[in-house]
Amino acid sequence: MGATKRSVAQSCSARRCGYPCSCGRCKCESYSVAGTQRVACAMSAPPQLRALLLAVNALLRKRRYHAALATLKGFRNGAVYGAKIRAPHSLVMTFLFRSGSLREKLWTILRATYIHSKNLACFVFTYKGLCALQSHMQGKTYPMHSFLAAFIGGLLVFSDNNNINSQVNMYMLSRVIFALCRLSVEKGYIPKPRWHPFPLFTAVVWGLVLWLFEYHSWTLQPSLRSSMTYLYEDSNVWHDISDFLIYNKSHASK
């Protein structure tokens, strides 16, 4: 039986890819390694490219470089995620509420996507890098490392008061308040409610936001103010059936 296993391994390793088959079949595609290695074998890549991929994958598997490589992948993931969530949002908001030529609208979308993607990538890179640096210097990881790294990263990346950073920070603030309330209940700092507080929370939020919009609208973020203007002020004005049902505003009023 042992001879059979060895012969299978030798047969597999004699193939062009040079990898022993982990499942006992002579198919290099079945070897569960990085996808680039399988692709290089399947496409009969040049020897130089296969050697480069082998060297790169060997480097990626070394634990001594894990922290630095995780920081680089964090930069990549931040850029991709920022583009994924900003591009469709900017596309919809720009074509719904912005005026201007098609070229101007496309430029607005691309610029917003680039800024969000760049900022998120830089923040993740900074955060993971500072966390790794603190752990290396102190020999272990402490909870305060996360706060300090994110504090510095936020100060460096998201401190510019523009529309995108404002949206991101307010999005984070709402989640942080929710999380701190739950943590306070779990730790016993706040008594656990005897009834579900969400209905009261909802009523207070909507009551405050409409009060602010009606009497102090300048305090609201521009995008929120624009949305609420469309909903609550534009619905007070019409001239005929065209701008009552079909359009929000007649061409004359525009």
Side-chain angles (χ1 to χ4, degrees):
M1 184 66 180
T4 303
K5 289 185 178 180
R6 283 195 299 271
S7 63
V8 170
Q10 290 170 358
S11 174
C12 291
S13 61
R15 294 174 62 82
R16 289 175 301 171
C17 62
Y19 300 120
C21 180
S22 60
C23 67
R25 294 177 296 176
C26 296
K27 292 182 180 178
C28 55
E29 291 82 6
S30 65
Y31 187 62
S32 179
V33 292
T36 51
Q37 294 174 337
R38 296 197 300 270
V39 172
C41 177
M43 297 181 64
S44 300
Q48 296 86 351
L49 178 59
R50 294 206 303 272
L52 177 61
L53 291 173
L54 282 170
V56 170
N57 287 324
L59 176 66
L60 293 176
R61 287 193 293 269
K62 289 187 176 181
R63 296 298 302 175
R64 61 182 299 186
Y65 302 127
H66 183 268
L69 294 171
T71 302
L72 291 176
K73 186 171 182 181
F75 181 89
R76 177 263 179 201
N77 285 7
V80 171
Y81 188 77
K84 281 184 176 181
I85 62 176
R86 176 55 58 175
H89 174 270
S90 183
L91 177 69
V92 172
M93 298 301 291
T94 298
F95 278 94
L96 278 180
F97 298 110
R98 279 187 175 270
S99 59
S101 65
L102 178 61
R103 182 176 182 179
E104 291 173 340
K105 291 180 178 180
L106 291 177
W107 172 249
T108 299
I109 296 168
L110 290 174
R111 182 174 179 275
T113 303
Y114 168 74
I115 293 174
H116 196 154
S117 178
K118 180 199 70 173
N119 285 359
L120 197 55
C122 291
F123 177 81
V124 176
F125 181 87
T126 303
Y127 170 75
K128 292 179 72 69
L130 290 176
C131 283
L133 179 62
Q134 292 176 97
S135 298
H136 177 74
M137 292 178 63
Q138 295 190 300
K140 60 181 297 186
T141 300
Y142 294 95
M144 185 56 67
H145 291 173
S146 294
F147 177 83
L148 290 176
F151 181 90
I152 296 173
L155 192 64
L156 294 175
V157 177
F158 288 111
S159 59
D160 185 21
N161 189 12
N162 56 49
N163 291 338
I164 294 174
N165 287 350
S166 180
Q167 290 174 3
V168 172
N169 289 334
M170 285 190 289
Y171 174 91
M172 296 295 292
L173 175 62
S174 63
R175 270 65 180 174
V176 167
I177 293 175
F178 257 75
L180 288 176
C181 290
R182 290 168 177 163
L183 183 62
S184 298
V185 172
E186 179 185 332
K187 296 292 185 180
Y189 304 139
I190 298 177
K192 187 175 182 179
R194 298 180 181 179
W195 41 270
H196 203 293
F198 189 79
L200 178 60
F201 161 78
T202 301
V204 170
V205 167
W206 280 97
L208 287 174
V209 75
L210 265 299
W211 172 73
L212 287 170
F213 174 72
E214 295 288 357
Y215 300 101
H216 308 280
S217 61
W218 61 271
T219 61
L220 298 176
Q221 190 202 23
S223 63
L224 176 60
R225 189 167 62 243
S226 175
S227 299
M228 300 190 80
T229 298
Y230 182 88
L231 293 171
Y232 304 109
E233 289 190 352
D234 291 355
S235 57
N236 292 331
V237 180
W238 65 86
H239 301 86
D240 52 38
I241 190 64
S242 65
D243 59 353
F244 181 81
L245 187 61
I246 302 175
Y247 302 105
N248 177 45
K249 293 182 180 180
S250 65
H251 295 289
S253 63
K254 291 180 181 180

